[in-house]
Amino acid sequence: GDSVTQMEGPVTLSEEAFLTINCTYTATGYPSLFWYVQYPGEGLQLLLKATKADDKGSNKGFEATYRKETTSFHLEKGSVQVSDSAVYFCALGTNFGNEKLTFGTGTRLTIIP
Amino acid sequence: GAVVSQHPSRVICKSGTSVKIECRSLDFQATTMFWYRQFPKKSLMLMATSNEGSKATYEQGVEKDKFLINHASLTLSTLTVTSAHPEDSSFYICSASLVGKTQYFGPGTRLLVL
């Protein structure tokens, strides 16, 4: 079945550091790929997505590229801020009318000033 | 973005009682709602998918008689945990979407069964 393997946390970085959170997937067909973010006390929010190979999703300085050859969708940001502290979830979606999502285990990111 | 609410945010109940959790899409009409369960330090696990006016589709291993889902309107879905036991203690999250579109997630409900 479909699965998502995500870099285990927690991850602690200093402000302005470079961030990479690894994500690889296993899926049949051609899934869409997502990164969701969960800030403390809030629901998951869509951060970015890519729907086909070589697409790059980007938002709020975060980027991830859909790499079919390596089945990866790593999240990157060049300079993190304290406000980026949250839990990040990688997910894949199969579009059979509904976007049924399979999530990774989540990575808790803490940015220290 | 679209807003999805859940009520209650936390609930504590005695073993053997039933608990109802509501999920509402506040500013859009959701044709589809999803219910997830999240274990500590684990991923979200999809429990079921419900479309307004029809029966929910449960994922393998999820007891439909245990977790009753009703999606009576385009803005409201409910999850009822029947005869709850301590092993049902968890974080329950709903999401709402239009068919084939982005899911918008609620903030979650923490259930503790004593």
Side-chain angles (χ1 to χ4, degrees):
Chain A
D2 298 341
S3 67
V4 175
T5 301
Q6 190 175 338
M7 175 178 176
E8 287 206 19
V11 174
T12 303
L13 294 173
S14 298
E15 207 167 18
E16 298 183 3
F18 184 87
L19 168 71
T20 300
I21 301 178
N22 289 337
C23 172
T24 57
Y25 68 90
T26 302
T28 53
Y30 303 95
S32 298
L33 300 173
F34 305 83
W35 277 100
Y36 281 84
V37 57
Q38 187 176 30
Y39 298 104
E42 299 183 16
L44 275 75
Q45 301 173 24
L46 179 63
L47 179 61
L48 53 86
K49 71 175 185 180
T51 57
K52 62 182 188 297
D54 300 326
D55 267 2
K56 178 186 283 188
S58 60
N59 186 23
K60 299 181 180 181
F62 290 90
E63 292 183 339
T65 302
Y66 189 144
R67 301 280 187 206
K68 191 166 183 290
E69 64 276 13
T70 54
T71 61
S72 66
F73 193 56
H74 304 321
L75 182 68
E76 296 182 336
K77 186 173 184 181
S79 177
V80 293
Q81 305 301 313
V82 172
S83 57
D84 294 326
S85 298
V87 181
Y88 292 82
F89 291 90
C90 184
L92 69 82
T94 53
N95 190 356
F96 299 123
N98 299 319
E99 197 74 79
K100 192 170 166 179
L101 296 173
T102 300
F103 286 87
T105 52
T107 301
R108 182 175 297 279
L109 173 66
T110 301
I111 308 300
I112 53 177
Chain B
V3 179
V4 175
S5 70
Q6 278 184 245
H7 179 80
S9 57
R10 297 170 187 260
V11 56
I12 301 172
C13 69
K14 292 182 178 179
S15 186
T17 61
S18 294
V19 175
K20 181 185 285 188
I21 302 169
E22 292 186 348
C23 176
R24 294 183 185 270
S25 55
L26 298 184
D27 51 2
F28 71 104
Q29 293 187 321
T31 49
T32 306
M33 287 186 170
F34 301 83
W35 286 96
Y36 296 84
R37 183 172 176 178
Q38 186 177 24
F39 295 95
K41 299 185 180 181
K42 298 283 188 183
S43 179
L44 281 75
M45 180 192 78
L46 179 64
M47 299 174 66
T49 304
S50 73
N51 293 298
E52 185 264 338
S54 61
K55 287 185 178 180
T57 301
Y58 289 82
E59 295 299 301
Q60 193 172 10
V62 178
E63 299 175 62
K64 61 181 181 182
D65 295 330
K66 173 77 168 174
F67 299 99
L68 300 179
I69 292 170
N70 183 280
H71 191 168
S73 76
L74 287 172
T75 59
L76 174 64
S77 176
T78 59
L79 167 68
T80 301
V81 183
T82 62
S83 186
H85 288 93
E87 59 264 30
D88 299 323
S89 298
S90 194
F91 195 56
Y92 293 88
I93 301 171
C94 75
S95 69
S97 73
L98 296 171
V99 174
K101 300 297 184 183
T102 299
Q103 291 183 37
Y104 295 95
F105 286 80
T109 296
R110 187 163 299 285
L111 169 64
L112 178 60
V113 184
L114 301 177

